Amino acid sequence: MKIGIALSGGGARGIAHIGVLKALEEMGVEISTISGTSAGSIVASLYANGIKPDRIFDQVKQLSLFKSVRLAWARAGLLVMDGLKELILKNIPENNFNALKIPLTIAATEIRKGEVNYFSEGELAAAVVASCSIPAVFSPTRVNENLYVDGGLLDNLPAGCIRNQCDFLIGSHCNEISHEFDPKNLKTMIERSLLLAISANTTLSQKLCDLTIAPPNMDRFTVFDIGRAQEIFEAGYRFTKENFTSDNFKKRAA
């Protein structure tokens, strides 16, 4: 049986995916295909190259907004993600989808055409950076004459693109929306507006999954909360371990 997993976007919350993957590995779950959007694309690409969850966590937790980006002062955005590109090249020097041990698909939004594109071949680092390029925060990423921003705008949980590649599909979702927020806080309003915008497409994608792993209370973390990486990782790990066992999983997959 081929098992696939789709990893949602979510900024720092995406670190929860690493905990989910570690728990699944301990259950003996072998992933045959993987997809990711935004933060999920970072985790997915490293895991697809055979890097173990603990090692991925060590790599990702070192990323911060200031280490991963530099000022670009362009009209289209203020920041570019040089640090993220360096992370991918350091761990996957071949910089190509074909070099990966597990088939990978990455979602990114072509901003001029207003459509989602799925990368599964060619240059890897550019696809990951494109998928992570949050509009108005990061400069759009140009790939093959197309202009890309965050894949979460149109497909935050890229399940459909790998549905036909597996017999059983898991969705790992970390973008819970809080019912309480400060409407006077500009940063909070921008973050909440983005989460609301992607909520609808996430709901549709979840229906394509045979099982969704969604750790509760993720709204206590912001998308920029990289300083709480350990808590976020443990939230994904504990929830998966406490709610799914090897036998339980096999029964669901049967």
Side-chain angles (χ1 to χ4, degrees):
M1 175 181 291
K2 292 185 177 181
I3 299 175
I5 187 167
L7 309 183
S8 75
R13 296 173 180 176
I15 293 172
H17 298 315
I18 309 174
V20 171
L21 288 169
K22 179 177 181 178
L24 291 176
E25 276 200 354
E26 291 179 357
M27 294 178 199
V29 177
E30 185 175 342
I31 302 300
S32 299
T33 186
I34 189 169
S35 64
T37 291
S38 198
S41 74
I42 302 172
V43 177
S45 62
L46 297 176
Y47 192 75
N49 200 44
I51 302 174
K52 292 296 183 180
D54 284 332
R55 176 63 177 163
I56 295 175
F57 177 65
D58 287 339
Q59 294 283 311
V60 171
K61 72 179 181 181
Q62 297 177 33
L63 287 173
S64 72
L65 183 62
F66 299 106
K67 289 180 181 177
S68 303
V69 303
R70 66 176 174 83
L71 292 175
W73 300 119
R75 291 182 181 180
L78 292 176
L79 304 168
V80 293
M81 288 179 284
D82 286 350
L84 175 55
K85 183 176 181 180
E86 291 170 3
L87 173 69
I88 299 301
L89 294 178
K90 174 183 176 182
N91 288 277
I92 312 170
E94 299 88 348
N95 193 26
N96 195 289
F97 282 84
N98 293 335
L100 301 173
K101 296 177 175 60
I102 301 173
L104 167 69
T105 303
I106 291 174
T109 300
E110 212 296 341
I111 192 65
R112 288 183 295 198
K113 298 177 183 177
E115 62 184 29
V116 61
N117 284 5
Y118 299 100
F119 295 90
S120 57
E121 59 183 20
E123 184 182 349
L124 178 61
V128 174
V129 172
S131 186
C132 294
S133 297
I134 303 172
V137 178
F138 299 108
S139 294
T141 300
R142 189 177 298 275
V143 182
N144 299 327
E145 304 305 318
N146 291 321
L147 204 59
Y148 293 97
V149 295
D150 198 309
L153 291 179
L154 296 180
D155 194 354
N156 192 53
L157 184 66
C161 59
I162 61 170
R163 176 67 269 190
N164 65 352
Q165 298 177 29
C166 54
D167 304 303
F168 188 81
L169 180 58
I170 304 167
S172 181
H173 175 52
C174 61
N175 261 336
E176 183 178 1
I177 301 176
S178 173
H179 295 293
E180 297 182 3
F181 70 103
D182 181 5
K184 297 180 181 179
N185 186 307
L186 180 59
K187 181 181 176 182
T188 300
M189 284 295 292
I190 293 173
E191 180 179 336
R192 183 176 182 81
S193 297
L194 180 61
L195 289 175
L196 288 172
I198 65 179
S199 177
N201 74 62
T202 302
T203 300
L204 291 174
S205 294
Q206 284 180 304
K207 294 179 180 179
L208 300 175
C209 298
D210 298 295
L211 174 70
T212 299
I213 299 175
N217 304 317
M218 293 301 292
D219 56 328
R220 68 186 186 274
F221 307 110
T222 73
V223 296
F224 297 108
D225 247 345
I226 193 73
R228 301 175 70 184
Q230 188 68 45
E231 291 179 67
I232 299 171
F233 171 82
E234 290 177 358
Y237 176 77
R238 286 198 308 269
F239 177 77
T240 308
K241 290 286 285 188
E242 291 171 0
N243 289 274
F244 305 95
T245 65
S246 180
D247 290 340
N248 193 348
F249 182 87
K250 290 176 182 177
K251 289 178 181 177
R252 289 172 182 262

